[in-house]
Amino acid sequence: MKDRLKFLSIYYIWMLIGIPLGLIFKSLNIDVNSNFNLAILNFVSELIIFTILFIIYRKYFVKDFKEIKKTKGYIKEVLKIYVGELVVAISAGIVMVSLAGIAGVELLGSDNNNLARNLLKSAPIFMAMGIVFLGPVYEEGIMRLGLRKGIKNKGVFAIVSGFIFGIMHVVDNLFIVLTLPLLGFLLDYIMEKKKKNKYLISATSIVTYVCLILGGYYLVHHNISSLISVSELIYSITYISIGVYFAIIYLKKKNIFYTIGTHMLVNTIATIFLFFI
C-alpha cells in the first residue's frame, strides 16, 4: 500500500501540477498563452517533478546507478534496446496507419507533438533540457520504477505501464488519465489472488471501469463524444507499444537506467527532428 501511495502521489502531482503553476503565472501577470512563457512553465513543472521523484525514489536511483557504473557495455546495450524500440515503433506505426485508413482518419500529428514542436522553437534550450534530460528520468522513474513498486504481477505491470504511458501522451482527458492507475492496482490485486475465475473478474472490472468513465463523463458534460476521439486512440497505439516495450526491458534488466538511457536517446533524436521540421 505504501508503494502505491508513493506512486499515486508523484503521478497525480505530474498530471495536475500545471494547474497551480498556471494560476501562479497568471497572478504574476505572466501571459501563459505565449509559447515562450508556456515553455518556461513546462520546464518549471518538469524540474519540480524531477526533484520530488528523486527525493521519493533516491535510494533506488543511487543503487541502480552504482550498478551501471560497474557494468561494462552499458552504451552498447542501450543502443541494442534502442534498435528494438525502433522496430516496435515502426511496427506500431504500420498498424496505426492501417487502422487510420480503415477508420477514414487523417493523421496530421498528435496535438501534444504539435505543441511540443511550437514550444521547442520558442524556447529551445529550456525545452531541450526538459525533453532530453528531465523528461526521460521522471517518466521512467514514475512509469517503470514507481509503478513496478506498486504492481507485483509482471503481466499487469507491463500492460498497465504501456497503457498509461500511451494514453497520457496523447489524451488530455483527466477522467481517463487520473483513474487508469487505480484500475491497474485493482487488476494486480485480482491477478495475485489464487482464484480460478480471476480472468473473468478482471474482464468484468475493465468493463465496469469503462462504463463508469462513460457514465461519469456524461453526467458532467451531458455527452460522451468529446471523451476521446478515434484519432487519439489510433495515435496512442505507438506510445502504448513503446511503453509496454520499456516495461518489459525494465522487468528484464531490473535497472531503471537502461530505459532512461534509451528514452534519452529516443527523445534526443526526436528533438532534433522536431526542431528542424
Side-chain angles (χ1 to χ4, degrees):
M1 180 60 71
K2 184 178 179 180
D3 287 327
R4 291 178 178 179
L5 289 176
K6 283 183 179 180
F7 169 81
L8 289 175
S9 297
I10 185 63
Y11 179 77
Y12 287 145
I13 290 173
W14 181 20
M15 293 298 105
L16 300 173
I17 193 171
I19 298 175
L21 283 182
L23 293 174
I24 292 172
F25 270 49
K26 286 184 178 180
S27 69
L28 297 174
N29 293 321
I30 299 174
D31 182 14
V32 293
N33 294 317
S34 162
N35 280 341
F36 178 79
N37 292 339
L38 192 57
I40 300 300
L41 174 63
N42 185 75
F43 177 75
V44 172
S45 301
E46 292 187 307
L47 192 58
I48 292 173
I49 297 165
F50 175 89
T51 303
I52 296 174
L53 176 80
F54 185 78
I55 292 172
I56 294 176
Y57 296 115
R58 61 188 180 280
K59 70 176 182 179
Y60 301 107
F61 277 104
V62 171
K63 180 181 73 68
D64 285 358
F65 184 71
K66 287 180 178 179
E67 290 179 3
I68 286 297
K69 287 176 66 177
K70 299 176 183 177
T71 304
K72 295 181 179 179
Y74 168 72
I75 300 298
K76 183 179 179 181
E77 192 63 25
V78 165
L79 290 174
K80 286 169 61 178
I81 297 171
Y82 173 69
V83 172
E85 187 273 342
L86 282 180
V87 173
V88 170
I90 292 171
S91 301
I94 293 172
V95 173
M96 186 178 72
V97 171
S98 300
L99 290 177
I102 294 172
V105 175
E106 187 177 3
L107 299 178
L108 300 175
S110 69
D111 292 338
N112 285 344
N113 280 346
N114 294 331
L115 176 61
R117 183 185 300 111
N118 293 333
L119 297 184
L120 180 62
K121 292 183 177 180
S122 298
I125 295 177
F126 287 105
M127 285 300 295
M129 288 175 62
I131 296 173
V132 174
F133 178 68
L134 298 178
V137 175
Y138 72 71
E139 285 188 20
E140 293 304 314
I142 296 172
M143 298 309 307
R144 253 58 77 179
L145 193 157
L147 188 61
R148 178 59 179 147
K149 297 297 178 187
I151 295 182
K152 306 307 177 185
N153 185 278
K154 292 181 179 180
V156 173
F157 163 69
I159 294 172
V160 172
S161 177
F163 263 87
I164 298 177
F165 186 76
I167 293 298
M168 55 80 53
H169 271 91
V170 178
V171 179
D172 292 326
N173 195 292
L174 288 178
F175 271 78
I176 299 174
V177 173
L178 296 181
T179 55
L180 266 177
L182 301 178
L183 175 63
F185 292 147
L186 174 61
L187 294 177
D188 180 56
Y189 175 79
I190 294 170
M191 294 302 292
E192 287 297 287
K193 293 293 182 180
K194 295 181 179 179
K195 294 182 179 179
K196 293 182 179 179
N197 59 343
K198 60 185 177 182
Y199 292 102
L200 176 61
I201 297 174
S202 296
T204 303
S205 299
I206 293 173
V207 172
T208 302
Y209 167 78
V210 172
C211 290
L212 287 173
I213 289 295
L214 294 175
Y217 195 79
Y218 180 80
L219 287 175
V220 174
H221 299 278
H222 304 295
N223 74 82
I224 58 174
S225 60
S226 60
L227 178 62
I228 184 171
S229 67
V230 175
S231 62
E232 287 176 332
L233 285 173
I234 292 174
Y235 273 118
S236 69
I237 292 173
T238 299
Y239 286 104
I240 290 172
S241 301
I242 294 172
V244 171
Y245 174 71
F246 278 162
I248 292 172
I249 293 297
Y250 182 61
L251 286 171
K252 180 181 178 181
K253 297 294 186 180
K254 295 181 175 62
N255 189 304
I256 196 61
F257 284 96
Y258 283 102
T259 55
I260 286 177
T262 308
H263 201 149
M264 283 183 173
L265 181 57
V266 171
N267 282 15
T268 298
I269 295 173
T271 299
I272 293 172
F273 275 101
L274 280 175
F275 186 77
F276 289 103
I277 289 177

